[in-house]
Amino acid sequence: MRSYRAKVVEPITLPDRDRREAALAAAGYNVFNLDSGDVYVDLLTDSGTGAMSHEQWAALQRGDESYAGSRSFARLEEAVREVMGFEHVVPAHQGRGAENLLYGALLEEGDVVPNNTHFDTTRAHVANQGADPVDCPLQVALDPAGDPDRPFKGNMDLDRLEAVVDEVGAGAVPVIVLTITNNSMAGQPVSVENTRAVAEFAAEIDATLVVDACRFAENAAFVADREAALDDASVAEIVREQLSYADAVIMSGKKDALVNVGGFVACRDEALFEAVKQRAILYEGFPTYGGMAGRDLEAMAVGLREAVAERYVEGRLASVAELGERLADAGVPVYRPFGGHAVYVDAERFLPHVEPEAFPGQALVCAAYLEGAVRCVELGSFAFPGADRPELVRLALPRRTYGREHLEHVAETFAAVHGRREELGGLDVVDEPPNPELRHFSAELEPREPLVSAAD
Ligand code: F0G
């Protein structure tokens, strides 16, 4: 059930078919290049795209913009202590800023960092320190059709983790990261049991356990629903329990702190706190604002508490699941179970006649835009050249933003695309930036055959 109503509204329009065709061609068949005004339902990301509550808007007015010792920072610190259980907090302008602070303090050239699955910016920041990011997901999670009822497909594969450490030696692994939920593995959750086991292993080899907590509240809501041992615990209690195993967290406030920008590092160890603060001064700002305005620190403090309110976060998972079921009813092959922030479509099964070199996921992304001005993102061979990954398309739901009518429109759009899937062909990249790992943000493509769209 939806636990909020609208007080401020933002007009959106569905551009006509000619406009959509022209906009997509001008964007080089890359939806990152579209103007947002040409998009009707925007499912590109759940990051920083949500709606703030009236309490958050009110909190902005309390912002203390002092350079040092801001009261707003003290309120954020208090919220992080209460909600997440960490003593020390260093704000950053967003998640990747926090990654830069923390991984720069923890890693050295030649280190190896296992993670259930690295998100792109995490991988890049680990690599930027000269360390080697290694993914240890469950094998079953890599198959979009694999075990659709498995509750915690985001878990770290403990055998893989041990194998990595055996191979390179414990001395080369100073840090283990657990990403909850596992964004790059279809937004699947991580169990508290798995978190505890990874923490025990990290302690054995004397490694620091970092939790990437961007979607900590959604993860906890899955745990409340699926992990028998925590059946009676509240979401807030589960968050405290799960994060109690971590030595440090990095957070993007743009996800489960329900704000449009911001982030932080939180940790327990005094020496690590000092090292992160020193890096903050260099890269983000004085450690009591760290790249954020005082008002935004206030909004993030309020958002952290709102995120663990059962009625909010349960409704959040329900609306993602509703989108998933609507798509499945429309004949769309979807990854199951559904993620916490997004539904992932299996483009390989959707367009079996389009080979990976012609980017079936990107063909689907373009078709969804042409059909209904719905924007989503390819996470397959276009975004990750050379990686052995499934051809997925992510439909990420901004928080507290879209209602049932929008979900219906998305499902109708995908049903129409599904109805004429055999007509859809692939694309070629015609212009890409020097670093192919970042190409999906700016590369341009050309369709192999004209992209047909149904009449309005
Ligand atoms: N870690 C995870 C798991 C993420 O999903 C993201 C961002 C970050 C770190 C970096 O945070 O954007 O605030 O710098 N994910 C967004 C997405 C961009 O669309 O999935 P950031």
Side-chain angles (χ1 to χ4, degrees):
M1 192 186 295
R2 213 156 118 152
S3 60
Y4 46 86
R5 59 183 177 186
K7 177 146 62 183
V8 175
V9 295
E10 179 183 6
I12 51 174
T13 51
L14 177 58
D16 67 22
R17 180 181 155 188
D18 287 349
R19 173 76 209 152
R20 302 198 294 269
E21 285 182 359
L24 191 63
Y29 298 89
N30 182 342
V31 293
F32 279 99
N33 296 332
L34 287 170
D35 289 342
S36 66
D38 286 324
V39 177
Y40 182 53
V41 179
D42 202 346
L43 307 184
L44 187 67
T45 179
D46 65 318
S47 182
T49 51
M52 292 210 298
S53 69
H54 61 166
E55 295 293 353
Q56 287 177 292
W57 282 103
L60 293 178
Q61 297 291 335
R62 272 201 309 269
D64 173 359
E65 306 300 343
S66 304
Y67 190 94
S70 158
R71 289 189 302 278
S72 301
F73 172 70
R75 276 190 280 268
L76 173 66
E77 226 179 13
E78 204 184 301
V80 173
R81 284 177 187 156
E82 184 188 309
V83 175
M84 303 174 99
F86 286 87
E87 180 65 15
H88 302 305
V89 186
V90 182
H93 73 283
Q94 62 181 88
R96 64 201 72 182
E99 291 179 327
N100 180 34
L101 300 186
L102 184 63
Y103 297 128
L106 287 173
L107 295 176
E108 282 175 15
E109 182 108 25
D111 289 340
V112 173
V113 179
N115 190 325
N116 45 346
T117 320
H118 287 83
F119 178 69
D120 331 8
T121 59
T122 319
R123 174 177 299 281
H125 275 295
V126 167
N128 199 34
Q129 299 303 326
D132 185 14
V134 180
D135 290 343
C136 302
L138 298 179
Q139 192 59 31
V140 65
L142 289 160
D143 173 7
D147 200 349
D149 297 322
R150 183 125 167 193
F152 293 106
K153 275 167 125 175
N155 280 356
M156 178 88 82
D157 185 323
L158 296 164
D159 293 335
R160 279 195 188 188
L161 173 62
E162 281 186 35
V164 169
V165 174
D166 282 348
E167 195 188 318
V168 301
V173 184
V175 174
I176 298 175
V177 186
L178 198 57
T179 306
I180 67 170
T181 57
N182 191 340
N183 183 15
S184 302
M185 204 45 69
Q188 298 295 301
V190 173
S191 68
V192 170
E193 188 189 2
N194 188 252
T195 309
R196 195 180 303 126
V198 173
E200 278 166 13
F201 182 75
E204 259 171 50
I205 66 163
D206 212 14
T208 299
L209 177 60
V210 174
V211 167
D212 178 329
C214 292
R215 299 178 180 86
F216 71 95
E218 290 165 7
N219 198 90
F222 277 126
V223 168
D225 199 38
R226 298 181 185 173
E227 193 162 351
L230 288 144
D231 227 14
D232 297 331
S234 68
V235 168
E237 286 164 350
I238 292 166
V239 165
R240 290 289 294 243
E241 165 79 9
Q242 188 158 32
L243 297 184
S244 73
Y245 298 107
D247 299 306
V249 293
I250 78 102
M251 179 71 193
S252 165
K254 303 172 74 168
K255 284 81 165 175
D256 274 353
L258 303 174
V259 287
N260 302 114
V261 75
F264 56 84
V265 173
C267 66
R268 305 183 199 286
D269 182 72
E270 202 69 50
L272 180 59
F273 180 43
E274 276 310 316
V276 169
K277 276 199 290 189
Q278 291 309 313
R279 285 181 64 82
I281 293 169
L282 194 57
Y283 292 107
E284 296 285 324
F286 190 77
T288 60
Y289 74 88
M292 292 179 71
R295 56 180 172 270
D296 289 331
L297 298 169
E298 292 278 351
M300 194 154 73
V302 175
L304 279 174
R305 293 196 172 95
E306 290 180 354
V308 295
E310 234 106 322
R311 63 186 180 282
Y312 155 70
V313 71
E314 283 168 6
R316 161 81 177 150
L317 296 190
S319 81
V320 174
E322 179 179 339
L323 175 62
E325 293 299 351
R326 283 179 186 276
L327 289 167
D329 290 347
V332 177
V334 285
Y335 187 110
R336 282 182 189 267
F338 306 124
H341 66 299
V343 177
Y344 292 71
V345 173
D346 181 356
E348 217 168 304
R349 264 196 294 156
F350 199 111
L351 299 173
H353 57 284
V354 180
E355 66 264 39
E357 300 74 50
F359 312 122
Q362 190 62 15
L364 185 52
V365 166
C366 288
Y369 178 72
L370 280 180
E371 187 63 45
V374 173
R375 175 157 71 169
C376 40
V377 69
E378 194 262 11
L379 295 173
S381 37
F382 175 49
F384 304 106
D388 183 23
R389 293 175 54 99
E391 299 291 342
L392 296 178
V393 168
R394 183 181 81 172
L395 283 70
L397 212 54
R399 294 172 180 78
R400 304 190 291 206
T401 302
Y402 292 119
R404 183 157 290 153
E405 275 178 56
H406 300 106
L407 305 188
E408 275 168 13
H409 174 79
V410 174
E412 280 162 18
T413 297
F414 272 78
V417 172
H418 191 251
R420 55 184 185 80
R421 61 192 180 283
E422 275 152 30
E423 298 162 29
L424 296 175
L427 303 100
D428 293 303
V429 171
V430 292
D431 188 21
E432 63 180 335
N435 180 358
E437 292 199 352
L438 300 177
R439 74 174 175 190
H440 85 136
F441 296 112
S442 60
E444 299 202 351
L445 305 98
E446 271 296 342
R448 291 189 173 178
E449 292 126 55
L451 288 170
V452 261
S453 63
D456 275 357

